[in-house]
């Protein structure tokens, strides 16, 4: 398979334009985790040329990072590890905490879990309104100078917040939600990234599995699965999104003989300096990854896709429900 790549400032090796997203591998909010399948999934991704592995401490409260560390034992040199910082948690769940003290604690915990001496891309998971951005950026720049991280990124930041970060430290990447159904970054973040040479790691590329093309109106979610509270998966919106997916599937087959999943990933890759995060926790869930490479969508096709979305999704909703709370001051 010929994997498309791009360069992230500060990371010497080319990075695959599809990254393996490991939120679900952590188990929390996804109905649990199967460690052996998760390890096999990560190793299979690396074997296929998907060298960027994106994780975070809060994914399973350390579990995802630990699984990534186990999976990459012996093959660390083949992988680019992206993890995150600045979410704390207690019995009530996660909350934002980007203080220098929290950053110092998290970097050591992440290095230990991941069984590595450095993080390739270290990203602020969410902005913390109780901590000045320059304080956060300054501490992260110290970590970069110490060699504990190679490149710095932010997630869920606005252009103004990224400006404040860049006043203090070099910024290499931004990770926002971005997929066919969730496109707020087209208002400002995407153009900002293009203007400032930032890689865009698009999380939710398959919109919590909607764009995998495997769901039906009878699909149900169990346990702590976040889709039980995601507005997109509640009637009548769920039916609207499923109708859009079905129409997109027909279009992808007719135009390119591709699946809707491949179309959804290709759409992201054609939008800029983008990397699509492909969430998977079973090896078979990444078998179609090569279908997204080696072709592109014309402007006419992009316009037709927009028409399909407008026709079927009459009550769209974003991913705002996922935002964690601010800590108590």
């Amino acid at each position: 398979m010929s994997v498309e790549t791009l360069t992230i400032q500060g990371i010497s090796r080319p990075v695959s334009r599809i990254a393996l997203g490991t939120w679900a591998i952590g188990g929390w909010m996804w109905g649990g985790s199967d460690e052996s399948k998760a390890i096999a999934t990560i190793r299979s991704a690396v074997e296929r040329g998907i060298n960027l592995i994106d994780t975070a401490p809060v994914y399973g409260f350390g579990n995802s990072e630990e699984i990534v560390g186990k999976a990459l034992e012996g093959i660390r040199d083949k992988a680019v590890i992206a993890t995150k910082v600045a979410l704390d948690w207690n019995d009530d769940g996660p909350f934002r905490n980007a203080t220098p003290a929290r950053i110092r604690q998290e970097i050591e915990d992440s290095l230990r879990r991941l069984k590595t001496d450095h993080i390739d891309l270290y990203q602020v998971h969410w902005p913390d309104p109780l901590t000045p951005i320059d304080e956060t950026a300054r501490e992260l720049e110290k970590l970069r100078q110490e060699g504990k991280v190679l490149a710095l990124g932010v997630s869920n930041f606005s252009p103004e917040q990224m400006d404040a970060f860049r006043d203090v430290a070099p910024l290499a990447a931004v990770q926002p939600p971005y997929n066919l159904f969730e496109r707020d970054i087209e208002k400002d973040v995407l153009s900002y990234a293009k203007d400032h040479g930032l890689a865009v790691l698009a999380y939710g590329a398959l919109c919590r599995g909607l764009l995998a093309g495997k769901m039906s109106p009878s699909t149900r979610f169990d346990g702590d699965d976040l889709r039980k509270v995601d507005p997109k998966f509640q009637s009548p919106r769920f039916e609207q999104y499923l109708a859009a997916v079905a129409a997109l599937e027909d279009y992808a087959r007719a135009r390119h003989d591709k699946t809707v999943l491949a179309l959804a990933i290709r759409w992201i890759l054609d939008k800029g300096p983008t990397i699509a995060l492909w969430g998977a926790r079973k090896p078979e869930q990444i078998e179609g990854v090569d279908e997204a490479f080696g072709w592109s969508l014309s402007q006419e096709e992009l316009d037709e896709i927009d028409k399909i979305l407008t026709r079927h999704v009459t009550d769209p909703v974003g991913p705002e429900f996922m935002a964690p709370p601010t800590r108590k001051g």
Side-chain angles (χ1 to χ4, degrees):
M1 177 178 65
S2 179
V3 174
E4 295 176 24
T5 62
L6 58 70
T7 300
I8 295 178
Q9 300 170 43
I11 299 175
S12 59
R13 73 177 61 195
V15 172
S16 57
R17 293 194 68 201
I18 291 178
L20 181 66
T22 64
W23 183 8
I25 277 173
W28 174 64
M29 299 191 80
W30 292 92
S33 178
D34 184 317
E35 183 173 300
S36 62
K37 288 183 179 178
I39 289 173
T41 301
I42 295 165
R43 286 184 167 266
S44 178
V46 174
E47 288 168 3
R48 291 170 179 269
I50 305 303
N51 68 347
L52 181 57
I53 312 298
D54 182 82
T55 185
V58 77
Y59 298 165
F61 306 111
N63 192 42
S64 177
E65 284 191 331
E66 288 179 353
I67 290 172
V68 171
K70 291 176 182 178
L72 294 181
E73 280 191 281
I75 56 170
R76 171 65 178 96
D77 61 334
K78 295 182 179 180
V80 175
I81 296 177
T83 193
K84 305 178 187 76
V85 66
L87 280 187
D88 204 341
W89 59 82
N90 55 27
D91 291 343
D92 296 325
F95 56 92
R96 308 182 197 200
N97 184 353
T99 60
R102 177 62 182 170
I103 290 169
R104 280 289 163 180
Q105 177 187 335
E106 285 204 67
I107 185 65
E108 298 305 328
D109 288 344
S110 289
L111 290 171
R112 173 180 49 79
R113 294 187 196 111
L114 291 163
K115 301 179 186 294
T116 187
D117 62 358
H118 73 278
I119 306 298
D120 298 284
L121 177 61
Y122 205 39
Q123 306 158 100
V124 182
H125 208 150
W126 284 84
D128 173 10
L130 298 183
T131 303
I133 289 174
D134 65 312
E135 286 187 19
T136 300
R138 192 169 291 111
E139 195 64 30
L140 290 171
E141 174 59 6
K142 290 178 184 177
L143 296 183
R144 193 181 72 87
Q145 295 290 341
E146 292 166 15
K148 292 186 176 182
V149 303
L150 300 186
L152 301 176
V154 294
S155 183
N156 304 295
F157 270 48
S158 69
E160 293 75 22
Q161 290 166 329
M162 287 188 278
D163 276 339
F165 190 102
R166 290 175 58 248
D167 283 343
V168 177
L171 187 61
V174 57
Q175 184 172 148
Y178 192 43
N179 58 62
L180 276 163
F181 295 140
E182 296 168 339
R183 298 167 60 172
D184 277 358
I185 71 165
E186 292 178 355
K187 298 174 184 175
D188 51 10
V189 170
L190 188 58
S191 59
Y192 184 96
K194 291 176 181 178
D195 291 344
H196 294 92
L198 308 183
V200 178
L201 280 66
Y203 77 78
L206 298 179
C207 200
R208 276 82 72 202
L210 256 178
L211 288 160
K214 304 287 177 133
M215 296 181 186
S216 72
S218 62
T219 300
R220 296 292 177 265
F221 307 100
D222 301 319
D224 65 351
D225 196 311
L226 83 162
R227 289 168 292 191
K228 290 173 67 176
V229 296
D230 186 336
K232 282 187 175 61
F233 295 82
Q234 317 305 316
S235 187
R237 281 196 181 103
F238 190 32
E239 289 76 16
Q240 292 180 18
Y241 283 104
L242 288 176
V245 171
L248 290 169
E249 176 80 48
D250 290 343
Y251 189 73
R253 291 291 186 191
R255 297 291 299 218
H256 291 281
D257 194 25
K258 301 288 185 181
T259 63
V260 65
L261 186 154
L263 177 78
I265 298 297
R266 187 69 248 170
W267 181 89
I268 290 172
L269 300 185
D270 284 345
K271 286 290 185 169
T274 44
I275 296 169
L277 270 64
W278 183 302
R281 50 182 169 172
K282 301 174 184 177
E284 58 266 28
Q285 291 176 330
I286 57 173
E287 287 177 357
V289 71
D290 54 330
E291 282 197 39
F293 294 131
W295 59 289
S296 62
L297 293 161
S298 67
Q299 187 58 53
E300 176 190 353
E301 289 169 329
L302 293 171
D303 293 342
E304 186 57 36
I305 287 169
D306 287 347
K307 291 176 184 176
I308 290 171
L309 298 177
T310 301
R311 188 159 59 244
H312 290 282
V313 183
T314 59
D315 187 21
V317 63
E320 296 82 8
F321 80 101
M322 290 194 291
T326 300
R327 72 184 187 281
K328 297 176 182 177

